[in-house]
Structures are given as structure tokens and as C-alpha cells.
Amino acid sequence: LKKKCDPVEEINDEIKQLLDEMLKTMYKAPGIGLAAPQIGISKRLIVMDVSPRPGLKRYQEENKEKEEIKPNPILMINPEITWVSKEKDTDEEGCLSIPGIMANVTRPSSCKVKYLNKNGESRKLHAEGLLARCIQHESDHINGVLFIDHLSKTKKDIILRKIKKQQKEKEETTQK
Ligand code: ZN
């Protein structure tokens, strides 16, 4: 997860299948975003869906009354953030690759991103709020950066210790 991923040269069936697989994994988790390196593929591919869904913390907090929520998947091939706002926001983030860990991360509150869609067409998007945060988090993944890398050294050390402890406990239970 610490490696910079390679750009996609050609959008073939293999890439399309991979994107489908990534969406499935993300919805199953459930999560709001996933990058290819998280399923062991070193390619510049990200998928996102920030619409409220059952199982997501935000859904439970903000949308208790709403019944049907349509999925709104966003797929990006070779995404490139071309601009970020000076204005910043702090919000809690988690990551499917670091289960059980949440931390407040400060990031630009809006950004512009350039990418290719599934049909290989060039697209631009100006994102704000949760989507902007998600795009930045997932773009970090394909550049080998994790959300905990944005934290102060002290905070990061605490989290790394927690992860190590979790791994140790996991190993112990599998040994039993
Ligand atoms: Zn992540």
C-alpha cells in the first residue's frame, strides 16, 4: 500500500472487470471509496459512492428517515487532482485497509479532478464536501499515501501501535 501505482494504458475488458470487482468490494464492506491497490492491484483506479447507504455510519446518523437511496457509483481511471482549495476542513476518516481505526484528518475542502471514465472519455469534476474528501483519500492510495500519513507524528505513532496490537491479537486467535 506504500507504492505509487501505474497509470492505466488501455481500458480493456480486464480493467472494466476490475472496476466492477472494486465496486462490489466497496459496497460489501460497506465503504464510500476504494482504490485498486487495496485489493492488491497496482493501478491508478478508484471507485467511490458517497450516497447514504445502510451500514454506513453517516447513513445511520443523518438519514434515519429516508427509505430508498439509489446507489451513485463514481469510477475514475488515472485520476489527477488539478486544484485544491485554500480553505480546509477537518473530519473523521477511516479506511477499509486499516479496519477499526478512525481519525480526524484536515484536507482542502474542495478540489478539482481530471480523469477518464469507463469509456475512456476525459472528464473533469469540481468536488466539495464528503466527495472532495473521498477523492483526495483515494488519490492518496494510488500514490502510496494513507490517511494516517496526514496526522502528526505523535498521533500516527499511537495508531501504528494500535494496529500492531490488533494484528498480534488476530494472530493469537488464529493460532488457537
Ligand atoms: Zn483508504
Side-chain angles (χ1 to χ4, degrees):
L1 287 172
K2 289 277 173 193
K3 230 178 88 192
K4 219 174 153 171
C5 299
D6 301 322
V8 173
E9 307 279 359
E10 188 201 343
I11 303 165
N12 51 26
D13 288 348
E14 195 191 327
I15 294 294
K16 287 179 186 171
Q17 254 173 29
L18 197 57
L19 286 166
D20 284 342
E21 209 176 296
M22 285 168 64
L23 273 179
K24 265 187 217 152
T25 309
M26 178 189 80
Y27 283 125
K28 205 177 148 199
I32 62 168
L34 190 81
Q38 294 183 274
I39 56 164
I41 310 286
S42 187
K43 285 204 160 71
R44 305 184 80 79
L45 295 170
I46 64 176
V47 299
M48 293 163 288
D49 188 343
V50 297
S51 62
R53 275 170 279 132
L56 293 176
K57 198 175 154 220
R58 272 168 217 275
Y59 170 83
Q60 281 145 8
E61 280 170 5
E62 297 163 17
N63 293 278
K64 276 180 198 142
E65 293 87 35
K66 286 186 193 167
E67 275 174 21
E68 248 183 78
I69 287 116
K70 281 194 187 126
N72 181 27
I74 300 170
L75 313 171
M76 292 187 181
I77 300 165
N78 298 340
E80 199 186 313
I81 291 173
T82 53
W83 173 85
V84 291
S85 62
K86 275 188 195 141
E87 200 188 313
K88 293 186 178 182
D89 256 333
T90 303
D91 202 356
E92 206 177 41
E93 281 186 32
C95 180
L96 297 178
S97 298
I98 318 173
I101 305 284
M102 302 288 286
N104 277 326
V105 182
T106 303
R107 296 185 187 268
S109 44
S110 47
C111 68
K112 283 181 188 167
V113 63
K114 190 173 91 173
Y115 63 98
L116 298 175
N117 68 12
K118 229 179 166 176
N119 302 318
E121 295 154 346
S122 183
R123 289 279 179 269
K124 278 180 193 161
L125 180 72
H126 186 161
E128 289 171 357
L130 184 57
L131 182 59
R133 177 168 294 276
C134 193
I135 290 170
Q136 293 173 66
H137 178 118
E138 302 311 330
S139 297
D140 273 353
H141 270 303
I142 57 174
N143 290 318
V145 177
L146 294 173
F147 79 100
I148 53 172
D149 296 327
H150 289 280
L151 306 175
S152 69
K153 200 182 171 295
T154 331
K155 273 191 193 157
K156 198 179 156 180
D157 284 345
I158 293 170
I159 288 176
L160 288 176
R161 271 205 296 274
K162 229 177 180 176
I163 295 171
K164 264 193 199 140
K165 209 181 142 204
Q166 275 180 0
Q167 281 170 346
K168 221 179 135 194
E169 281 168 1
K170 221 176 161 188
E171 276 164 26
E172 279 166 4
T173 43
T174 43
Q175 273 166 14
K176 271 173 199 166

